[in-house]
Amino acid sequence: MDFLAIAEIFEEMHKTNSRLVLIDHLVTLFKRTPVNTIKKIIYLLQGKLFPSSEGIELGLGEKLTIKAIAESTGISVKEVEENYNKIGDLGETAKEIAKKRYQQTLLNEKITIERIYSTFEKIAKSLGSQSQIIKLRLVSSLLNDATPLESKYIIKFLLGNLRLGIAEYSIIDALAIAFTGNRNNRKKIEEIYNIYTDLGTIAEILFKKDLQGLTDLQITPLKPIRPMLAERIIDPKEGLKRANGKVALEYKLDGERVQIHKNNTEVQLFSRSLEKITNHYPDIVEAIKKFSIHNCILEAEIVPLDLVTKKIQPFQELMHRKRKYNISDVILKYPIKVFLFDILYLEGNNLTQYEYRQRRGILQSIVKTNRNNIIELVKQNVSSNLNQIEIFFRKAKYEGCEGLMLKQLDSKYRAGAREFLWMKLKKEYGTTLVDSFDLTVIGALLGKGKRTGYYGALLLAAYDKKSDTFQSICKVGTGFSDYDLELIYNELKNYVVDKKYYNVNTNLKMDIWFTPKLVIEIIASEITLSPLHTAAYGLIKENFGVALRFPKYAGKIRLDKKPEDSTNTSELIQLFNKQVKRNKS
Ligand code: ATP
């Protein structure tokens, strides 16, 4: 299948802000795609080559990409950089340079989607000392044959910034229309996607069979499930009411969520965003291998422990586990504990349809018969008494937890759903602080005095799904320890760009700008209307956005969250309205 036809559709998609038009373009694309290519198209649209659970990433650095553009067009790296500085987007830069240089000859090999995919696959899999040279050759040979428009989208794919504004839900809508002829079937497709998160395989089955074919896809160990999420509640009273007077309380540990999959001798671990994280925790893998169970899917929170006291440490310490090398040393130096809180599958049986209280019972008996050093059950209580909940909440806080999870006793496991079946009551409850927010860092002011050499304040943004932009909401300069300042500086170093990133929306002037990548957690006392910030601009009040009052760093880099998972515009509006209601009562 010719890549040029696809690049032309992408170009049209870039021009529109309308979700419906976007879906129309996707439908056209899917209808033109041959069956053996549909899987590849879907993964590429999602910005990957395989389902995330495979753990193979494409990501190519900017520097190498610039080199490849220079090599394929015969101009200097400096010249490419100058153009890039002027244009601001590397894909667009490649297109503009190619426009002047590209000449179609008989020697040009056609660019097909299959060729792109296989080249990208080689790039993703090339490791070792020669890998940079190999990647450079592969990209420049592709660019050599590409038309200007094709160059643009090849570069965008490689850098992982295709950004056509295609949310996964739009792809599902388009699949429903293209392959079942009825958009209403999106719900059924989504239900399957929640338990079988490989959209490429789903598309292929829809193409070859039909909706009925999807029923073959079941919860399967080694295939991650979309996690069930919790709604925020503001006090225990609300939780008790929503649970009809009796609720399960669990410690809300502050760590990394993990889905543990076991299939006979194979164990794989997946993060909240369903990335494979097996290599970070070989100690968990070993412990689970010894469990006297053949296959299961468990959910847990991993927390770091102090080497000597064995007390729970701040979540940040888990960063050490992300290292690629010498993991065996890291395991000894940075011990962890795993607190199980759910079981979704056991010995061939899908348990998601069981009630929470039954699942907890099964989990309990598994932990009892498989004693080991690092895995235990999360602390739980069942209560219908407000006082008891308060006491349990304080106890959890005292023991270093973030608060409590309140779970409805008869609730099924609803993969991918955020409902009041699970409720989170955070530490901030009972103080003047409203809530916590996960925000993306988009800019910074340079530090002065004690902070020289680091950043003095960070500009943070909420995410707006509709426009796919990061909109500023506050500057934060408090709550950082010296350790945090250094850690954040080193993380952000990788994302510095010369000017405000193209999908960043703010009126403020900063010393440094970043690609929106790093998500951090903030607590604040109030959401206020602001003429300065652009978050939810005009959505609550004309000519006003929203800002956070007294924002403070909560000590947490959210490596488990993508920038698109930041607190979003609709959540902000919801929280603002809740706050107004609370202030009135
Ligand atoms: P969300 O996951 O709701 O989008 P988030 O990632 O910011 O938001 P929180 O708001 O902190 O997370 O609350 C939910 C998270 O709490 C879960 O994703 C899980 O990682 C963690 N957690 C800790 N203890 C438990 C528990 N006992 N049961 C369920 N989740 C727990």
Side-chain angles (χ1 to χ4, degrees):
M1 185 183 187
D2 276 0
F3 185 58
L4 189 58
I6 298 172
E8 278 163 358
I9 295 182
F10 285 168
E11 196 69 354
E12 288 304 311
M13 287 166 109
H14 244 306
K15 288 184 198 151
T16 180
N17 277 329
S18 151
R19 190 164 169 262
L20 288 180
V21 176
L22 207 74
I23 292 171
D24 273 351
H25 286 306
L26 284 177
V27 173
T28 312
L29 176 62
F30 295 162
K31 284 191 170 163
R32 280 193 207 160
T33 305
V35 65
N36 52 358
T37 309
I38 188 75
K39 224 176 177 175
K40 295 175 179 147
I41 290 272
I42 298 286
Y43 296 143
L44 288 174
L45 285 172
Q46 292 182 296
K48 49 199 180 195
L49 293 175
F50 302 98
S52 323
S53 55
E54 303 269 322
I56 301 171
E57 277 179 29
L58 177 58
L60 203 71
E62 245 185 42
K63 275 206 174 112
L64 198 73
T65 315
I66 290 175
K67 259 193 195 167
I69 298 173
E71 193 162 292
S72 64
T73 51
I75 68 171
S76 69
V77 165
K78 197 161 165 256
E79 231 176 304
V80 179
E81 281 171 346
E82 280 167 6
N83 275 286
Y84 176 33
N85 280 339
K86 260 188 260 153
I87 298 172
D89 175 88
L90 207 48
E92 208 58 59
T93 307
K95 179 176 148 194
E96 289 310 314
I97 296 175
K99 260 188 191 167
K100 293 181 202 142
R101 303 258 153 181
Y102 178 75
Q103 279 172 343
Q104 186 146 28
T105 69
L106 287 175
L107 295 176
N108 283 113
E109 194 189 321
K110 230 189 177 108
I111 307 266
T112 60
I113 192 76
E114 291 76 13
R115 179 173 168 203
I116 294 220
Y117 191 88
S118 80
T119 310
F120 285 1
E121 198 175 342
K122 280 183 204 144
I123 291 172
K125 288 183 177 167
S126 76
L127 302 167
S129 57
Q130 294 297 304
S131 69
Q132 296 300 90
I133 298 170
I134 297 171
K135 285 179 186 177
L136 183 64
R137 293 280 166 275
L138 286 166
V139 180
S140 40
S141 101
L142 207 54
L143 292 178
N144 245 331
D145 291 331
T147 64
L149 192 63
E150 287 172 330
S151 299
K152 171 175 167 180
Y153 286 101
I154 289 171
I155 298 297
K156 280 183 160 295
F157 269 132
L158 286 169
L159 291 173
N161 70 358
L162 188 59
R163 292 202 172 278
L164 297 169
I166 318 172
E168 250 146 31
Y169 294 116
S170 306
I171 302 182
I172 293 178
D173 270 334
L175 287 175
I177 301 168
F179 299 130
T180 75
N182 184 352
R183 186 166 176 189
N184 292 337
N185 286 327
R186 56 128 26 245
K187 249 192 132 174
K188 286 189 190 136
I189 301 175
E190 196 184 327
E191 267 166 31
I192 300 292
Y193 180 55
N194 282 336
I195 55 154
Y196 196 95
T197 49
D198 174 354
L199 212 46
T201 301
I202 290 182
E204 198 176 66
I205 292 177
L206 281 172
F207 196 139
K208 284 186 184 161
K209 301 179 185 173
D210 56 9
L211 211 52
Q212 205 49 35
L214 291 186
T215 46
D216 294 343
L217 299 181
Q218 297 292 338
I219 289 190
T220 320
L222 309 183
K223 286 273 178 198
I225 297 169
R226 296 189 65 216
M228 179 163 173
L229 301 170
E231 279 284 2
R232 309 169 190 228
I233 49 167
I234 45 177
D235 58 28
K237 213 165 142 191
E238 183 187 352
L240 212 48
K241 196 170 149 212
R242 288 191 184 272
N244 298 320
K246 195 172 182 185
V247 73
L249 315 165
E250 285 182 7
Y251 274 15
K252 183 178 189 316
L253 292 140
D254 190 8
E256 178 171 21
R257 185 170 185 163
V258 64
Q259 226 174 77
I260 304 171
H261 289 237
K262 179 174 189 187
N263 191 18
N264 296 315
T265 52
E266 185 173 355
V267 173
Q268 297 291 354
L269 312 178
F270 300 101
S271 71
R272 179 187 180 280
S273 49
L274 311 183
E275 310 281 340
K276 201 184 254 184
I277 51 168
T278 314
N279 292 341
H280 303 167
Y281 302 104
D283 36 0
I284 304 182
V285 174
E286 277 319 300
I288 295 288
K289 275 190 178 166
K290 290 190 190 129
F291 269 31
S292 58
I293 298 173
H294 296 106
N295 51 53
C296 63
I297 303 177
L298 305 165
E299 271 211 302
E301 192 82 358
I302 308 172
V303 292
L305 295 185
D306 183 88
L307 188 59
V308 182
T309 64
K310 299 282 181 271
K311 275 201 170 149
I312 293 180
Q313 294 300 293
F315 159 88
Q316 224 64 265
E317 291 298 308
L318 288 179
M319 296 260 291
H320 298 288
R321 291 293 189 117
K322 316 263 171 237
R323 282 197 214 142
K324 288 200 178 119
Y325 308 103
N326 296 332
I327 188 75
S328 43
D329 292 350
V330 176
I331 293 176
L332 294 176
K333 249 171 112 184
Y334 301 99
I336 49 150
K337 192 117 214 169
V338 182
F339 289 94
L340 296 174
F341 61 77
D342 220 319
I343 178 157
L344 317 181
Y345 188 91
L346 182 65
E347 307 296 30
N349 296 308
N350 173 0
L351 304 189
T352 59
Q353 298 309 304
Y354 286 38
E355 290 187 357
Y356 161 81
R357 66 179 111 213
Q358 290 171 290
R359 301 200 307 275
R360 171 84 191 186
I362 296 172
L363 206 52
Q364 221 154 354
S365 61
I366 288 177
V367 173
K368 219 170 165 184
T369 45
N370 291 282
R371 295 213 175 274
N372 70 82
N373 286 336
I374 62 165
I375 300 177
E376 58 182 79
L377 210 56
V378 76
K379 246 186 213 155
Q380 191 234 37
N381 237 337
V382 174
S383 177
S384 45
N385 178 301
L386 273 182
N387 261 345
Q388 266 178 0
I389 302 180
E390 284 277 358
I391 292 167
F392 201 55
F393 179 76
R394 266 183 256 142
K395 204 165 159 246
K397 257 171 59 172
Y398 179 75
E399 288 183 31
C401 296
E402 251 192 329
L404 291 182
M405 295 293 290
L406 277 66
K407 298 183 176 175
Q408 300 206 21
L409 288 158
D410 56 359
S411 59
K412 300 191 171 148
Y413 189 92
R414 300 250 306 126
R418 189 190 292 282
E419 295 164 334
F420 286 95
L421 297 175
W422 281 14
M423 297 166 272
K424 49 192 182 190
L425 185 64
K426 291 217 197 170
K427 234 183 201 164
E428 299 81 41
Y429 148 72
T431 72
T432 51
L433 299 165
V434 201
D435 215 325
S436 59
F437 303 83
D438 295 320
L439 300 169
T440 302
V441 187
I442 53 171
L445 295 175
L446 292 172
K448 292 185 187 135
K450 247 184 85 185
R451 291 197 180 171
T452 306
Y454 299 117
Y455 299 127
L458 304 176
L459 180 63
L460 304 178
Y463 180 61
D464 183 60
K465 275 188 191 159
K466 213 167 158 202
S467 58
D468 184 23
T469 54
F470 290 88
Q471 309 175 331
S472 74
I473 184 163
C474 68
K475 269 193 292 191
V476 64
T478 53
F480 300 101
S481 66
D482 290 349
Y483 174 72
D484 293 330
L485 285 174
E486 188 179 341
L487 194 73
I488 290 179
Y489 181 83
N490 286 330
E491 276 295 313
L492 283 171
K493 227 169 36 191
N494 305 316
Y495 309 127
V496 175
V497 281
D498 288 344
K499 54 182 176 188
K500 190 160 76 181
Y501 203 66
Y502 75 96
N503 69 342
V504 159
N505 182 350
T506 181
N507 299 319
L508 298 186
K509 292 209 162 45
M510 290 283 120
D511 296 329
I512 310 278
W513 294 106
F514 305 107
T515 319
K517 286 271 190 217
L518 192 74
V519 181
I520 63 173
E521 193 174 313
I522 294 295
I523 40 178
S525 67
E526 204 182 347
I527 304 175
T528 55
L529 291 170
S530 156
L532 198 66
H533 285 289
T534 49
Y537 198 79
L539 295 178
I540 297 176
K541 188 175 175 195
E542 208 177 325
N543 300 327
F544 281 84
V546 295
L548 297 183
R549 191 147 182 254
F550 301 135
K552 189 174 160 200
Y553 178 58
K556 225 174 173 188
I557 297 184
R558 296 298 309 252
L559 288 178
D560 58 333
K561 284 208 162 181
K562 296 187 185 133
E564 290 80 5
D565 294 328
S566 302
T567 305
N568 62 47
T569 314
S570 35
E571 281 177 280
L572 285 173
I573 298 172
Q574 210 183 4
L575 285 169
F576 182 84
N577 291 338
K578 257 192 178 176
Q579 188 184 293
V580 171
K581 223 163 120 192
R582 205 178 335 154
N583 291 344
K584 273 189 193 153
S585 65

